[in-house]
Amino acid sequence: MNQVTIHPTTQDDLESLQALWNDGDVMAFVGFPQGLGMTPEKMQTWYTWLCDGRPQRDHFSIREEGIYCGESFYAIDEHGYAALDIKLFAAFRSKGIAALGLRHAIREAFNHGAHTVWVDPNVENAKALALYHRLGFTKAQRPAHQEETPGFVYLQLRKHGLGALWAVDEPELWLSSFQGPLPFEITPTEVKTVLSTFCSSLDPLILTPLPAREKHKWILIAVVSSAFDPSREYTEKEVMAILKPMNPDPITIRRYLVDYKFLWRTRDGSRYGKVNEG
C-alpha cells in the first residue's frame, strides 16, 4: 500500500467530496445509483452543518499519495452510539484503505465519548460485511431509539469489547476501553509484546501456553473476554465451545475469566455472563 493520509475534512476537500457523492457506483449500495446530485451550494450547507457539530460528529478525507480516495465519518447521538460511514472510489477499494479509514473514525468516535459504534450495511454488500467482521463488529439488535431499515443489517462494536487485533494495532485505545483503574500498570508496548509472544494467531485468537507473569496473563485473559457478548448469558457448554479453539486448556482459561472478574457465574457453575462494564 502507498502512503495513506487521513485528515479532518476542510473547505479544500469539498470539490473532491462532491464528486464522490455524485458517483453512482459509490452510492449504489445506499440507494442512490445515480449519485446524490450535490451542488457546490449544497456542499457548503453540509460543511457548515459539519463544523457546527464537531466533535460530536466529524468527517475525514482519505488520500493515497495525495490523491483523494474517499471519506469516513462518525456522528455520536445523545445515547452514546456513533453511526459510522466509509466510502471510497472504485479504484481505491480492496487495498486496505477502507480498514484504515474506519479505524480512524472509530478511534475518534470513542475518544470523543461514544461507547458503541455501529453500521448498517446493505445485506447484499458482501465486501462491506466481511470488512466489518474483521474489525470486530457483530450483529446485534438495533437500539430502540433507532429506526429499522429493511434490507440493511445492524452491526455494532462496543468500546468495552475490543478484541486482539485492536489490542495490537490500537493498544492505547484498547487500554482506555477498560473502566476504572487497571489491576496493573500496563503500557501499550507491553500489550503488543504479550500478544506477539503468547498468541500463535490473532484472527482467530489462538493462545500458546499462558505466561507465568500475572500481568501478562491478565492481558491475555482480557483479550479472550472480548469473545463474550455482554447482552446474553451462556451455559457452561457454550463457554467451553468458545474457549476450546483458543487453547488446549479451556478449563484454566475459564477459571481465570472468572477470577479476573471478566465473567460472572452462578454458584452451581451452570450459567455464565460477561461482567457489566458500565
Side-chain angles (χ1 to χ4, degrees):
M1 186 191 304
N2 295 324
Q3 183 182 11
V4 175
T5 58
I6 304 172
H7 63 269
T9 294
T10 69
Q11 189 84 33
D12 293 339
D13 299 306
L14 294 188
E15 184 176 350
S16 297
L17 182 59
Q18 180 182 340
L20 182 78
W21 287 353
N22 288 341
D23 187 313
D25 173 74
V26 172
M27 304 304 296
F29 272 116
V30 291
F32 296 93
Q34 305 303 317
L36 293 182
M38 297 297 286
T39 63
E41 293 75 22
K42 289 180 179 179
M43 294 302 300
Q44 191 60 55
T45 298
W46 171 85
Y47 185 65
T48 300
W49 168 84
L50 172 70
C51 293
D52 288 345
R54 282 171 165 160
Q56 286 302 107
R57 57 176 173 255
D58 212 342
H59 187 278
F60 308 98
S61 291
I62 307 169
R63 295 179 183 272
E64 183 185 42
E65 296 293 319
I67 301 173
Y68 188 88
C69 302
E71 62 168 359
S72 61
F73 172 78
Y74 75 82
I76 308 171
D77 67 22
E78 64 272 23
H79 302 279
Y81 288 80
L84 298 176
D85 192 25
I86 178 78
K87 292 185 179 69
L88 298 176
F89 284 115
F92 298 98
R93 297 172 197 159
S94 301
K95 299 175 68 174
I97 296 173
L100 291 177
L102 273 172
R103 280 184 177 277
H104 185 87
I106 291 167
R107 180 173 62 250
E108 291 298 307
F110 283 148
N111 286 342
H112 287 97
H115 59 72
T116 302
V117 293
W118 65 273
V119 292
D120 57 351
N122 189 301
V123 293
E124 297 181 359
N125 194 343
K127 289 186 176 179
L129 291 168
L131 171 61
Y132 295 133
H133 173 74
R134 288 197 302 272
L135 291 175
F137 284 80
T138 56
K139 188 176 181 180
Q141 183 170 347
R142 189 181 292 270
H145 68 277
Q146 295 184 20
E147 292 185 11
E148 289 290 340
T149 51
F152 295 79
V153 57
Y154 178 84
L155 306 172
Q156 69 176 30
L157 174 67
R158 290 175 54 86
K159 185 177 182 181
H160 301 301
L162 300 179
L165 293 176
W166 283 91
V168 168
D169 294 337
E170 302 276 357
E172 296 90 348
L173 176 60
W174 184 79
L175 286 169
S176 73
S177 72
F178 296 94
Q179 290 192 337
L182 298 179
F184 308 95
E185 289 188 11
I186 301 172
T187 67
T189 300
E190 283 180 300
V191 172
K192 298 181 76 167
T193 299
V194 167
L195 293 183
S196 63
T197 303
F198 297 102
C199 296
S200 60
S201 170
L202 296 177
D203 186 18
L205 180 63
I206 301 176
L207 311 181
T208 59
L210 294 178
R213 192 174 180 186
E214 201 72 14
K215 176 165 64 171
H216 294 174
K217 200 177 299 177
W218 185 92
I219 292 170
L220 284 176
I221 299 302
V223 169
V224 169
S225 73
S226 66
F228 293 88
D229 183 347
S231 67
R232 57 160 297 190
E233 294 184 6
Y234 297 85
T235 64
E236 181 182 19
K237 184 178 180 180
E238 288 172 329
V239 170
M240 296 299 283
I242 292 172
L243 298 180
K244 280 181 180 178
M246 297 183 188
N247 188 271
D249 187 5
I251 294 176
T252 296
I253 303 297
R254 184 186 65 192
R255 175 167 58 81
Y256 279 120
L257 282 164
V258 174
D259 288 350
Y260 290 153
K261 295 182 170 53
F262 292 114
L263 293 185
W264 56 260
R265 69 179 170 193
T266 56
R267 186 178 295 274
D268 63 2
S270 64
R271 308 295 296 180
Y272 290 77
K274 196 165 187 182
V275 172
N276 187 357
E277 295 168 313

